[in-house]
Amino acid sequence: MNMISSIFEKLRDPEYRHAFVASQMNVGIPFQIRALLRSRGKTQGWLAEKTGMLQPRISGLISPGKTRPNVETLRRVAEAFDCGLAVRFVPFTELAKWSEEFDPESFNVPDFDTEMAPVERKQAKASTKEQGLTAGASGDLWVTRVLAGTQAGNVAGGACLFSIGTAAATLTASSVAAGVPELKCTVELTPAPNRIEPQRAENSTAAGGDQNPWPEATSCQIQ
Amino acid sequence: MSVWRTSIRCYVSLAGNNKIADWYRGLSPQEKADADEFLKNIRKTLDWRPPDYRPRLRDGEGLGELRWQSENKQHRLLGFFMGGAWYAVVGCTHKQQIYDPADSPTMAKRYKKQIERQEVQTVEYDL
């Protein structure tokens, strides 16, 4: 009998399933707290200081079955780890699934700053794209299009204004360092493989005028 | 799906009784649920260490013990590592240096020897 079918068989007993809920707090929570301490490289002393609890109480919190942590205690622990705490009513199947899938070796919950870092990077990129290339990190890939009417002469002269579009541009360290609001920089226009003919790129560069000479994707490498 | 990192096997007597299953049947519903949750997590753990595991009992002849609390009682599962698996031989409680049943360590040593000599069978923990 596998673990899933075994636990559901046991949950048919009302006494057992009510005890199962309690065991998630009494026994499951200590494994979670220990996993969080380990993943963050923190000690019981650190947690005691952050929660304002005495270390013996922390020791009790991480010993399976030793204490029955209440919600306020768990809220303080969550605050110390700067992570969320979900207290909600769920079907037994969901609770059993969580218990089954919990892995004490790999369980980790990022703190808020760690959690938000990728989101903020994305937002910074999106914001910059709207304004033209104004910020970013070296190596960032941007989807851009050379602005109509500016690229022909500028490309030939070694400068170009970028905006949202369809061609790819990669920021280099020097372009990041420039950091100007609408980044004008020396570019090398190279056709994207299988997406634009070299001849078309050359023609477009020379054409200028009212028509957008970059109807298809072009790779723009900022130098 | 659970990832079992450490196998737990149970002592089966010469008469064919799974002694760990016998112990489990004697637990209350809360004790059973707590034991299930504890043993499930410990089986997912590769490196057993305190407070969950005491690797060397005094005069234990190589026996260690899994430790957890339930219903205000200190629960113990006595056993030993051999060949990458942990063999559970006796389930008991512990209070003020005394095991209940009192002869748990003695029984555990005897069962351990029987397993080492391959005189008895063991089965995967599946309670």
Side-chain angles (χ1 to χ4, degrees), chain A residues 185-200:
Chain A
C185 56
T186 304
V187 297
E188 177 187 64
L189 293 175
T190 54
N194 302 323
R195 297 189 69 181
I196 188 167
E197 296 295 327
Q199 186 62 41
R200 173 182 262 173

Side-chain angles (χ1 to χ4, degrees), chain A:
Chain A
M1 187 183 293
N2 67 39
M3 197 66 200
I4 288 282
S5 57
S6 170
I7 190 69
F8 286 120
E9 194 57 39
K10 290 179 181 180
L11 288 173
R12 291 182 190 281
D13 174 2
E15 274 194 292
Y16 181 88
R17 63 175 175 261
H18 299 149
F20 176 71
V21 176
S23 72
Q24 295 308 300
M25 291 186 282
N26 305 344
V27 180
I29 291 288
F31 279 98
Q32 285 190 50
I33 296 175
R34 276 191 278 167
L36 284 175
L37 283 173
R38 187 171 54 245
S39 68
R40 304 274 185 95
K42 303 296 186 187
T43 63
Q44 290 183 46
W46 172 87
L47 187 56
E49 189 181 325
K50 292 284 281 186
T51 54
M53 299 178 198
L54 297 175
Q55 192 161 338
R57 191 167 173 204
I58 300 297
S59 175
L61 276 175
I62 65 168
S63 299
K66 193 165 185 177
T67 57
R68 296 184 174 190
N70 61 32
V71 174
E72 172 57 17
T73 300
L74 297 179
R75 187 201 61 75
R76 288 164 68 182
V77 172
E79 189 175 296
F81 285 116
D82 197 17
C83 66
L85 173 68
V87 180
R88 58 198 175 91
F89 300 99
V90 295
F92 278 103
T93 49
E94 189 175 326
L95 189 60
K97 188 170 182 285
W98 156 260
S99 169
E100 177 71 15
E101 292 179 352
F102 171 75
D103 185 350
E105 297 272 15
S106 65
F107 180 72
N108 185 18
V109 180
D111 61 27
F112 183 79
D113 289 342
T114 307
E115 181 185 2
M116 293 306 290
V119 176
E120 286 170 354
R121 277 200 295 273
K122 276 185 184 173
Q123 284 175 339
K125 276 188 178 180
S127 167
T128 304
K129 275 199 276 188
E130 287 165 8
Q131 299 167 19
L133 297 181
T134 58
S138 180
D140 280 358
L141 182 69
W142 296 81
V143 177
T144 66
R145 174 172 64 85
V146 177
L147 283 179
T150 63
Q151 75 281 10
N154 287 344
V155 169
C160 188
L161 182 64
F162 288 86
S163 182
I164 298 170
T166 54
T170 305
L171 277 177
T172 62
S174 60
S175 60
V176 171
V180 291
E182 286 190 321
L183 187 64
K184 291 185 177 181
C185 56
T186 304
V187 297
E188 177 187 64
L189 293 175
T190 54
N194 302 323
R195 297 189 69 181
I196 188 167
E197 296 295 327
Q199 186 62 41
R200 173 182 262 173
E202 286 170 16
N203 291 343
S204 300
T205 302
D210 294 331
Q211 284 190 326
N212 178 4
W214 306 93
E216 293 187 58
T218 302
S219 172
C220 305
Q221 177 69 49
I222 302 170
Q223 293 179 322

Side-chain angles (χ1 to χ4, degrees), chain B residues 70-87:
Chain B
S70 179
E71 301 276 71
N72 295 317
K73 282 186 273 186
Q74 300 272 352
H75 289 260
R76 301 285 188 263
L77 209 49
L78 308 185
F80 62 100
F81 276 104
M82 186 174 74
W86 193 75
Y87 290 80

Side-chain angles (χ1 to χ4, degrees), chain A residues 16 34 99-100 102 105, chain B residues 2 5 36 40 44 46 52:
Chain A
Y16 181 88
R34 276 191 278 167
S99 169
E100 177 71 15
F102 171 75
E105 297 272 15
Chain B
S2 295
R5 295 189 174 90
D36 287 345
K40 182 162 53 188
K44 294 175 186 173
L46 189 61
D52 304 327

